[in-house]
Amino acid sequence: MAIPENIEQLANDVRTKVYGREVREALASGIEAAGETAEDARIKSEDTEIRQTVLEKQFDDEIANMTLADPSSAEIVAARTNANTGESYDTIGRRLDAEHANVTTQLAEKASQKDLDFLEAQFNTKVSDIETRIPLNFRKVRFIGHRGYSGISPENSLIAFEMTGTNRGAFWGCETDIRQTSDGRFVCMHDDTIDRTTTGTGSVANLTFSQIRQHKIDLQAILTRANQVVPTLEEYLEVMTQIDVVPIIEIKAALNWQNFVNIIRNYGFEDKCIVISGSQAYLQSVRDLSKKIKMMYLCNAVTDTEIQIAKAIGNCGINTSTVSKEVVQLVHGNGLEIGMWTLDDITIIENAIKYGVDYITTNNGAGRFINKFKRITLTKSDTSNSLAVSQQYSSEYVTMSWDEWRNAVYVKFEYPFTGFPGEIGTSAFLSVNRSTKDLGYTFATATESFMGLYLTVYKNGSIINPLTSLTDLIWISMLVFKY
């Protein structure tokens, strides 16, 4: 067997050395033997590789072209058929090629769908993030005072109606409930009796107007104003005229329909009010006498039935106690407006606005939502030596606490501002009346957040705590805004 040239040269070099001939001869013979073995292994490896290539080609040919002895045998026919689709191919190779292409397409589609799902998730996340950063358009929704401004005044009283037009109230509309007395007068009363809200007892329908007026409005849970009696529909409409607030009139029982419509007309509200009721028959009775009066059908939940009722009445929306985004879209899709009652929780109100409702009825003031600036008016309390919030002139309630470290009053907002990048905090313009200045009072404010501000009160140059040691009748108004 031939020895590679490099191995043979190495053996000859070993033999020609002068010293240790026997050792060199043995070493040279070993090198030659190792070379022969290595060469033999190389040749065998090449031969094996050639044989493997030939066998693989033969196998590929047989698979691709079915060069087997009986290409029509049941086993081969089955191998050429896709068990899932039933489609048959000329050769197994073509079937495998087709299935490979199909799998590749499916994988590509799945990959594309995965990308789309990922992008959609990213998009939804961005939208959600943006929605949380955009201030709600509180001015788009119309706020309605429930039975007047009943959160701070006796319900369905003249003072409650008047308060809807204050800065704190800031209502677009004022709702009241109408019932008819035994002698045909219309009075503002929610219940069918006067028991809960007045000092008297008896059914509205069985009492004369003069009998009802003998009793005072008396709600222990709400600050009761002296000489407040049950108002008439006419007195209610007179207040709405004075404060420029839209009357929202709920019909609680059957009325003399012609007289009812005549009163609304006489006060100029036929096309400037909304009549509401949970009775289709009551609304239809009013509709038969006036096409101009706008109406809303009251219901606890909205289905196609309620939508069809509102459509049948005409110029009529829906007012409901429960709502979702889908319900709002359904009502709007039918060309109707939708309102909600009675919402006081801020989170629920915010959700209703996000859903797109048109009206929100609430017991609490709307000024905290819709006023662009916060107006906080503080005066001396009638009952203690402390500052107190003026209900009539303030756009919202605040809470006040003394900060020992700052020697100032911390005024915390009822409804905090929403902050965005670049906005630092709040600032305030102060105004006081002349008598407050003459008494030696001066004021300073400092703000650090959207939650509230610090008010420092000085008398004759010295800081005082106005929550405990205010003896003078002072008046201070703050107009607060973001910067």
Side-chain angles (χ1 to χ4, degrees):
M1 180 177 293
I3 300 175
E5 292 183 2
N6 60 334
I7 299 298
E8 185 175 9
Q9 182 62 46
L10 178 59
N12 290 333
D13 289 342
V14 171
R15 286 191 178 97
T16 58
K17 297 299 179 182
V18 177
Y19 301 103
R21 182 175 181 84
E22 292 82 359
V23 175
R24 291 196 302 273
E25 183 65 32
L27 180 58
S29 297
I31 291 174
E32 290 174 344
E36 291 175 357
T37 301
E39 182 66 10
D40 182 54
R42 184 188 66 78
I43 293 173
K44 287 182 178 181
S45 175
E46 290 179 353
D47 183 59
T48 300
E49 185 176 352
I50 292 172
R51 289 175 179 272
Q52 180 179 352
T53 302
V54 172
L55 289 173
E56 288 178 353
K57 186 175 185 308
Q58 289 177 348
F59 178 76
D60 289 341
D61 290 341
E62 289 174 352
I63 289 298
N65 303 311
M66 288 312 302
T67 57
L68 298 177
D70 185 9
S72 63
S73 68
E75 184 178 357
I76 295 174
V77 171
R80 295 195 309 239
T81 304
N82 187 314
N84 294 324
T85 65
E87 187 174 358
S88 180
Y89 298 87
D90 295 338
T91 66
I92 296 176
R94 289 178 182 172
R95 174 199 160 188
L96 295 176
D97 288 342
E99 291 182 355
H100 177 267
N102 185 45
V103 170
T104 301
T105 301
Q106 291 180 1
L107 289 175
E109 290 176 351
K110 288 183 178 180
S112 298
Q113 186 60 47
K114 185 176 181 180
D115 290 340
L116 289 175
D117 292 342
F118 174 76
L119 291 175
E120 184 178 5
Q122 291 290 97
F123 174 77
N124 290 336
T125 300
K126 291 294 184 183
V127 169
S128 177
D129 178 62
I130 291 172
E131 285 181 343
T132 60
R133 295 166 60 80
I134 296 178
L136 294 174
N137 189 355
F138 288 106
R139 289 186 175 273
K140 185 176 181 180
V141 69
R142 282 153 282 187
F143 284 93
I144 298 169
H146 186 228
R147 306 173 196 172
Y149 193 169
S150 59
I152 60 174
S153 302
E155 67 178 61
N156 283 325
S157 65
L158 288 180
I159 187 64
F161 299 152
E162 292 166 358
M163 290 292 287
T164 60
T166 63
N167 282 291
R168 176 167 165 76
F171 287 107
W172 174 85
C174 173
E175 183 263 350
T176 191
D177 310 282
I178 295 298
R179 292 182 180 274
Q180 185 172 302
T181 65
S182 63
D183 53 347
R185 295 295 298 274
F186 302 129
V187 293
C188 302
M189 179 66 61
H190 178 271
D191 300 355
D192 58 357
T193 73
I194 65 173
D195 299 15
R196 179 178 63 87
T197 58
T198 77
T199 56
T201 60
S203 168
V204 175
N206 294 331
L207 294 172
T208 65
F209 174 65
S210 62
Q211 288 175 325
I212 293 176
R213 291 280 263 203
Q214 291 175 7
H215 304 287
K216 299 293 190 291
I217 293 177
D218 182 24
L219 289 169
Q220 297 300 321
I222 301 293
L223 176 64
T224 299
R225 303 300 178 99
N227 300 319
Q228 287 291 302
V229 294
V230 177
T232 63
L233 173 61
E234 292 90 337
E235 289 170 333
Y236 160 76
L237 292 177
E238 181 63 35
V239 172
M240 296 301 101
T241 300
Q242 294 172 358
I243 65 176
D244 194 24
V245 172
V246 177
I248 313 296
I249 308 168
E250 180 175 353
I251 303 172
K252 304 298 290 187
L255 307 174
N256 183 318
W257 303 115
Q258 189 63 65
N259 289 348
F260 175 71
V261 172
N262 287 344
I263 292 173
I264 291 176
R265 283 176 176 156
N266 291 340
Y267 279 85
F269 282 113
E270 186 175 11
D271 59 351
K272 299 174 183 177
C273 73
I274 301 178
V275 172
I276 64 177
S277 179
S279 167
Q280 180 182 3
Y282 293 169
L283 294 179
Q284 190 60 54
S285 296
V286 176
R287 175 61 70 233
D288 292 341
L289 297 173
S290 172
K291 303 300 181 185
K292 293 182 179 180
I293 294 178
K294 187 174 183 178
M295 300 182 182
M296 298 199 81
Y297 180 59
L298 297 177
C299 58
N300 289 315
V302 180
T303 68
D304 187 64
T305 299
E306 285 71 31
I307 290 175
Q308 296 309 316
I309 288 174
K311 283 186 171 183
I313 294 170
N315 191 18
C316 181
I318 290 178
N319 208 343
T320 181
S321 58
T322 57
V323 82
S324 65
K325 184 176 182 179
E326 291 72 24
V327 166
V328 173
Q329 291 174 343
L330 175 64
V331 174
H332 284 169
N334 280 273
L336 307 178
E337 290 185 317
I338 184 169
M340 284 197 71
W341 52 272
T342 302
L343 307 184
D344 291 324
D345 182 84
I346 290 176
T347 301
I348 296 176
I349 289 174
E350 289 179 340
N351 287 336
I353 294 173
K354 289 178 183 178
Y355 296 155
V357 300
D358 303 294
Y359 305 89
I360 289 178
T361 300
T362 177
N363 292 305
N364 295 323
R368 56 184 174 160
F369 298 118
I370 68 174
N371 290 328
K372 186 175 182 181
F373 303 104
K374 298 180 183 296
R375 181 178 179 181
I376 310 299
T377 302
L378 306 175
T379 62
K380 181 184 179 299
S381 170
D382 294 332
T383 59
S384 66
N385 293 332
S386 174
L387 277 179
V389 182
S390 169
Q391 295 178 347
Q392 184 171 357
Y393 297 106
S394 296
S395 60
E396 64 182 272
Y397 271 135
V398 295
T399 57
M400 293 181 286
S401 59
W402 180 251
D403 189 303
E404 291 285 352
W405 185 76
R406 287 179 174 267
N407 276 339
V409 176
Y410 180 57
V411 181
K412 184 178 181 181
F413 303 138
E414 179 183 23
Y415 194 76
F417 284 113
T418 301
F420 293 91
E423 295 175 336
I424 302 173
T426 58
S427 186
F429 286 121
L430 302 183
S431 62
V432 298
N433 60 5
R434 172 58 60 184
S435 61
T436 300
K437 292 181 179 179
D438 292 343
L439 290 169
Y441 286 92
T442 55
F443 308 89
T445 61
T447 59
E448 291 186 350
S449 73
F450 301 110
M451 301 291 293
L453 56 83
Y454 290 94
L455 173 68
T456 304
V457 180
Y458 300 86
K459 184 175 183 181
N460 298 323
S462 299
I463 296 176
I464 67 167
N465 181 351
L467 301 184
T468 59
S469 57
L470 184 63
T471 57
D472 299 311
L473 182 61
I474 67 171
W475 183 94
I476 175 174
S477 183
M478 298 181 288
L479 188 64
V480 188
F481 59 94
K482 291 193 302 180
Y483 69 92

